[in-house]
Amino acid sequence: MPVFALVDCNNFYASCEKLFDPTLKDKPVVVLSNNDGCVVARSAEVKALGIPMGVPWFKIQQEARRYGIVAFSSNYALYADMSNRVVEILSSYSPSIEVYSIDESFLELSGFERYGYQDYGQSIRQQIADWLGLAVCVGIGSTKTLAKLANHCAKKQLAGDQGVCDFTTLRPDDLNSLFDG
């Protein structure tokens, strides 16, 4: 039976910007679309303020001043470079990798069960954090769809542990209970 992992970088564009300016570590950061029109990425601090994705920048400039939100124009060369570095690390974890988007990749993990998928996911997270300074979440499932859903559960802390959610270890009743209510 195949097993897939979806590795997704957290708050990718904003995280990349913070990496290159350590003074922004705990500051709210947004990245704006082309021509600085709309918010296309938000740091965790901005999400906590309730600022939505896609909001026009001019509509939140007063709020941005009040909360000290730092805004960046999109830097696609930086994001592509960091994405390539993540993919390079991920390629050492599986011979079969599919880049799904600039900040998400699927890995085929069949044959790696001897390592324990939860531990393997933690190893991936730790190496990317240590080598690049980026946080990622890992979702593991028997299909790419389930891996994507497991990743969502890991990000929202609905299931799993420390940013890794392994649906291959959950019983169907456990999965159902995640989404009941």
Side-chain angles (χ1 to χ4, degrees):
M1 174 168 90
V3 174
F4 300 94
L6 177 66
V7 180
D8 186 2
C9 298
N10 300 350
N11 312 315
F12 185 59
Y13 291 179
S15 295
C16 288
E17 297 293 350
K18 284 183 167 203
L19 277 175
F20 288 90
D21 185 350
T23 65
L24 298 173
K25 184 178 184 313
D26 296 315
K27 300 233 187 311
V29 170
V30 296
V31 176
L32 304 173
S33 62
N34 295 341
N35 299 319
D36 296 342
C38 298
V39 172
V40 296
R42 304 163 297 156
S43 67
E45 298 84 2
V46 172
K47 290 177 182 180
L49 293 171
I51 294 176
M53 182 70 93
V55 66
W57 175 239
F58 77 88
K59 286 189 175 183
I60 63 162
Q61 283 183 325
Q62 193 171 22
E63 229 177 330
R65 279 190 291 279
R66 182 170 54 245
Y67 293 115
I69 296 172
V70 180
F72 287 91
S73 296
S74 296
N75 183 346
Y76 298 114
L78 169 64
Y79 312 144
D81 179 61
M82 294 304 294
S83 176
N84 290 336
R85 292 176 192 210
V86 170
V87 170
E88 187 175 332
I89 291 170
L90 294 177
S91 67
S92 71
Y93 283 90
S94 174
S96 179
I97 183 171
E98 175 189 342
V99 177
Y100 186 62
S101 70
I102 195 163
D103 70 334
E104 296 176 285
S105 294
F106 285 104
L107 283 70
E108 219 303 11
L109 295 184
S110 302
F112 291 92
E113 52 275 346
R114 68 186 174 276
Y115 298 110
Y117 296 130
Q118 184 74 25
D119 290 341
Y120 209 59
Q122 289 298 340
S123 181
I124 291 168
R125 287 191 77 220
Q126 192 62 55
Q127 187 171 358
I128 292 171
D130 290 347
W131 288 19
L132 302 178
L134 292 172
V136 301
C137 285
V138 180
I140 301 165
S142 57
T143 66
K144 290 178 182 176
T145 300
L146 287 173
K148 178 87 171 163
L149 186 58
N151 186 282
H152 172 79
C153 289
K155 276 191 186 288
K156 301 295 182 184
Q157 301 174 350
L158 300 172
D161 187 36
Q162 299 176 349
V164 177
C165 180
D166 179 5
F167 273 9
T168 67
T169 62
L170 295 178
R171 298 183 333 255
D173 289 346
D174 296 332
L175 283 173
N176 289 337
S177 70
L178 285 174
F179 305 103
D180 289 342

